[in-house]
Amino acid sequence: MHATESPLLRHDQDGITTLTLNRPQQFNALSEGMLEALQTQLDQLAHDENLRCVILAAQGRAFCAGHDLREMRATPEQAYYRQLFERCSRLMQSLRALPVPIIARVQGLATAAGCQLVASCDLAVASDSARFAVSGINVGLFCSTPAVALTRNLPIKRAFEMLVTGKFIDAATAAQWGLINQAVPDPQLEQAVQALARDICSKPGISIRRGKAMLYRQQMMALPDAYAHAAEVMACNIMDAEAMEGIDAFLEKRAPRWHAGAH
């Protein structure tokens, strides 16, 4: 990659923004530049009221090989590492905090912080040939920050097995365990991701935004508090014009007439 090339590409179309990791020769490792570029885009997208869905994709043979180990070894200082992992943790939380769904489009390898990226997205579709691992343990580093996202996707014993062995799992296993939503034949990956994104965009945006925020907030609550919060969100949601139209359409046995661009 030439020095003038951006580590991250952006494409906007019909309410869908695609962010593409663009360090293919480095297997899209999360360099400081990549982290900064991703964080900048997510911060901007968080305020885009026309946004409906985000796709996180990657150029080349790998989705993301995790942190840039060569760059990390160039500054062997604990303060530097602490700051680096804090930046990465903020990025992962920004994915969850983004008001609209974000879909990981995964091909090739997704390892360590790359696997964390997949786990931090709301949805994930992978090609059959994709493989996943939290392999830091193989170089003597337990993947502690990836473990946070991984254990919020997988049963604890499955996650711990991956963390302490560093072994790869294939796409079919990742789907079975809950790390991704589906695995599709390699030539169908783009089609499957676009179909999922378009399906999301066909629903009222305000309901999707309310729903995503509610889903992750209630997950951290005790059961009575979760139900109280969900009930309040649903009561507000049902007062939205789009929800009223959707219910009327159902009762009248017709297709709903959504307001274009409603959020």
Side-chain angles (χ1 to χ4, degrees):
M1 185 176 73
H2 296 97
T4 56
E5 287 186 287
S6 171
L8 186 70
L9 305 177
R10 174 173 171 170
H11 175 71
D12 302 290
Q13 185 174 5
D14 300 328
I16 301 171
T17 291
T18 301
L19 300 177
T20 303
L21 309 183
N22 189 38
R23 302 183 72 214
Q25 298 305 314
Q26 294 79 26
F27 297 103
N28 297 307
L30 295 176
S31 63
E32 292 185 70
M34 180 80 84
L35 288 173
E36 181 179 0
L38 271 169
Q39 188 67 61
T40 297
Q41 289 297 327
L42 291 174
D43 290 345
Q44 292 177 3
L45 290 170
H47 302 288
D48 185 349
E49 295 185 356
N50 295 314
L51 184 67
R52 305 300 299 276
C53 183
V54 173
I55 297 170
L56 183 61
Q59 296 272 38
R61 294 180 296 150
F63 177 74
C64 178
H67 285 288
D68 190 323
L69 296 180
R70 190 175 302 279
E71 187 178 79
M72 289 172 65
R73 284 296 290 134
T75 311
E77 300 171 5
Q78 188 168 348
Y80 167 75
Y81 294 140
R82 183 179 294 113
Q83 181 264 350
L84 177 66
F85 293 132
E86 286 174 353
R87 288 179 64 188
C88 186
S89 296
R90 182 191 167 207
L91 173 66
M92 301 300 169
Q93 292 176 80
S94 294
L95 294 170
R96 281 293 171 94
L98 194 71
V100 302
I102 180 164
I103 306 168
R105 177 194 182 279
V106 188
Q107 85 286 353
L109 304 179
T111 58
C115 189
Q116 183 184 6
L117 264 182
V118 176
S120 297
C121 290
D122 305 302
L123 301 161
V125 180
S127 62
D128 282 338
S129 61
R131 296 194 299 154
F132 305 82
V134 276
S135 49
I137 198 66
N138 293 333
V139 296
L141 182 65
F142 189 88
C143 283
S144 297
T145 47
V148 174
L150 199 66
T151 54
R152 282 161 171 76
N153 282 243
L154 273 60
I156 192 71
K157 285 184 170 61
R158 295 295 195 190
F160 194 66
E161 179 183 353
M162 291 183 69
L163 289 158
V164 297
T165 66
K167 291 182 178 178
F168 282 89
I169 61 172
D170 59 22
T173 302
Q176 181 184 359
W177 289 4
L179 179 59
I180 64 175
N181 294 82
Q182 59 178 315
V184 300
D186 292 25
Q188 298 176 20
L189 179 58
E190 179 62 17
Q191 179 183 355
V193 171
Q194 289 296 328
L196 180 57
R198 288 194 299 272
D199 194 5
I200 291 168
C201 291
S202 73
K203 308 302 190 294
I206 184 64
S207 300
I208 296 290
R209 285 171 175 252
R210 286 187 191 275
K212 175 174 174 175
M214 180 283 302
L215 183 69
Y216 293 125
R217 186 173 179 187
Q218 67 81 29
Q219 195 176 33
M220 300 297 112
M221 295 177 174
L223 189 62
D225 296 332
Y227 269 114
H229 175 60
E232 176 62 22
V233 171
M234 203 163 187
C236 293
N237 190 177
I238 204 170
M239 295 302 296
D240 292 327
E242 298 303 297
M244 293 290 190
E245 164 60 16
I247 293 170
D248 287 347
F250 177 80
L251 295 174
E252 295 167 12
K253 296 181 171 56
R254 60 173 174 81
R257 295 184 289 267
W258 307 126
H259 298 143
H263 289 83

